[in-house]
Amino acid sequence: MSVPAVSTPVLVIAGPTATGKTDAAVELALRLGGEIISADSVQVYRGFDIGSAKPTDAERQGVPHHLLDVLDPHESWDAMDFARAADGVIADLTTRGKLAIVTGGTGLWLRALLRGLVDLPAVDAALRARLEDAVAERGAPSLHAELQRVDPTSAVRIHPNDALRIVRALEVFEQTGTPLGALRDAHALGAERYRTFFVVLDVDAEAHTERVTRRFDAMLERGLETEVRSLRRTVPEDAKPFGSVGYRQMLDFVEDRSDLATARTEAIRATRTYARRQRTWFRGEPGIHWRTDANTLLDADGTARVAAWLGVKP
């Protein structure tokens, strides 16, 4: 992974899902002469538009967006792949005199871009096979309970059904004797790769529940069911983006494993759970200059503060 110039200014607008990150990023891009780099692990996929809240052309307001629609559903990116691609975009934007505005809620991707990734041991094939066999025999939640005992930090961040990440966390603990969560938290304190103004947007719990509900209902009105049915004709059920919040519940409906009302309820509940995990992640990130709502970020004082820190003209 290349070493960028630490003097390069980068604005990061992160936070839980449905807290207004996209709108704020577009508005600041218009004010500060920026372009947007998406740090969203679902919006990166072609065709997964409505359920990922991928901004429409109208919502982008003419602001160029990067790292949207770059993968087919059968492909996969990890945090390092994202960081390499984002490095390239930032280098190009810097050359053109544009401010890079990175926005999204995929915490590990942001950490990889801003601080690099912790050096972890290579996969031990025999150990992985043993853990995967345990998942097959006992189920992912059983191993998640074990993870809670040895690595509570990672357990909070990983869903009980996310077998891949559970296995990796247990794998690292068995290989190193140190919890993966502790390794990553220690690494997060390392030197920044860019001169970053890191904003986390959030709203209170009641308002957030209302936002999540309104947004999912709007997705249904825009045609989420049709999108999922269309995707399912060519995309296998086990494709990575189908495992994401919202798509997973709608896929159950489309495959006749639930009714629409149940899918809606479960999608909203899963989104709220995911948002709690995002909050936990961002609370542990160093160097967050501001934790606020979008309105305060976008008032005159807020924009001036961002511009002054980054050394750009509002």
Side-chain angles (χ1 to χ4, degrees):
M1 192 170 178
S2 62
V3 179
V6 294
S7 61
T8 301
V10 173
L11 172 58
V12 177
I13 303 176
T17 187
T19 52
K21 297 185 296 294
T22 297
D23 289 346
V26 168
E27 181 61 32
L28 286 173
L30 292 169
R31 296 181 188 182
L32 303 177
E35 297 185 10
I36 293 172
I37 300 171
S38 171
D40 186 296
S41 60
V42 185
Q43 293 181 2
V44 73
Y45 288 100
R46 301 181 185 96
F48 286 76
D49 301 331
I50 298 173
S52 71
K54 190 178 296 177
T56 63
D57 288 344
E59 290 167 337
R60 298 178 201 185
Q61 297 187 52
V63 174
H65 282 57
H66 304 272
L67 304 189
L68 296 174
D69 300 320
V70 297
L71 296 183
D72 288 326
H74 68 276
E75 297 179 293
S76 181
W77 254 14
D78 60 21
M80 187 67 78
D81 292 322
F82 164 76
R84 289 194 187 100
D87 278 343
V89 176
I90 292 170
D92 174 63
L93 295 181
T94 302
T95 299
R96 295 192 283 111
K98 296 289 186 178
L99 173 64
I101 302 177
V102 183
T103 185
T106 306
L108 184 59
W109 282 20
L110 291 169
R111 182 179 291 179
L113 174 64
L114 301 179
R115 298 179 182 277
L117 287 178
V118 62
D119 186 18
L120 298 177
V123 172
D124 180 319
L127 173 58
R128 173 157 293 189
R130 175 168 63 80
L131 290 169
E132 288 177 341
D133 287 344
V135 170
E137 293 172 8
R138 295 155 42 197
S142 174
L143 267 72
H144 189 268
E146 182 178 338
L147 184 64
Q148 285 180 315
R149 181 177 59 82
V150 300
D151 186 357
T153 300
S154 290
V156 168
R157 295 171 176 170
I158 299 174
H159 191 277
N161 290 323
D162 192 342
L164 181 65
R165 294 178 66 201
I166 293 168
V167 164
R168 182 55 177 156
L170 289 172
E171 203 172 66
V172 169
F173 178 76
E174 291 201 27
Q175 287 176 291
T176 66
T178 303
L180 175 60
L183 289 171
R184 284 181 168 160
D185 284 348
H187 179 76
L189 300 175
E192 289 189 338
R193 302 175 70 240
Y194 294 99
R195 181 161 56 88
T196 306
F197 193 101
F198 197 141
V199 181
V200 172
L201 298 183
D202 206 352
V203 295
D204 66 64
E206 183 178 351
H208 188 253
T209 297
E210 292 175 358
R211 285 190 184 202
V212 167
T213 301
R214 287 200 308 270
R215 189 175 75 160
F216 192 76
D217 286 342
M219 289 176 178
L220 291 174
E221 292 176 5
R222 286 181 56 200
L224 179 58
E225 177 186 344
T226 300
E227 178 177 274
V228 172
R229 290 188 185 280
S230 177
L231 287 166
R232 187 63 186 89
R233 284 195 282 270
T234 57
V235 179
E237 186 172 345
D238 61 355
K240 187 174 181 179
F242 267 145
S244 61
V245 171
Y247 281 109
R248 183 169 63 248
Q249 291 76 22
M250 283 302 296
L251 186 61
D252 283 342
F253 166 61
V254 165
E255 296 294 327
D256 296 323
R257 293 189 289 263
S258 74
D259 57 34
L260 182 57
T262 300
R264 175 184 179 273
T265 298
E266 291 301 317
I268 292 169
R269 180 183 295 119
T271 302
R272 293 174 62 195
T273 300
Y274 177 52
R276 286 196 293 271
R277 297 205 311 272
Q278 289 175 300
R279 288 188 182 96
T280 299
W281 177 279
F282 289 120
R283 285 192 203 105
E285 292 296 278
I288 293 176
H289 302 285
W290 208 336
R291 186 177 177 87
T292 184
D293 62 44
N295 290 330
T296 307
L297 173 65
L298 295 174
D299 67 21
D301 289 342
T303 301
R305 183 179 176 186
V306 172
W309 175 271
L310 295 170
V312 297
K313 293 182 179 181

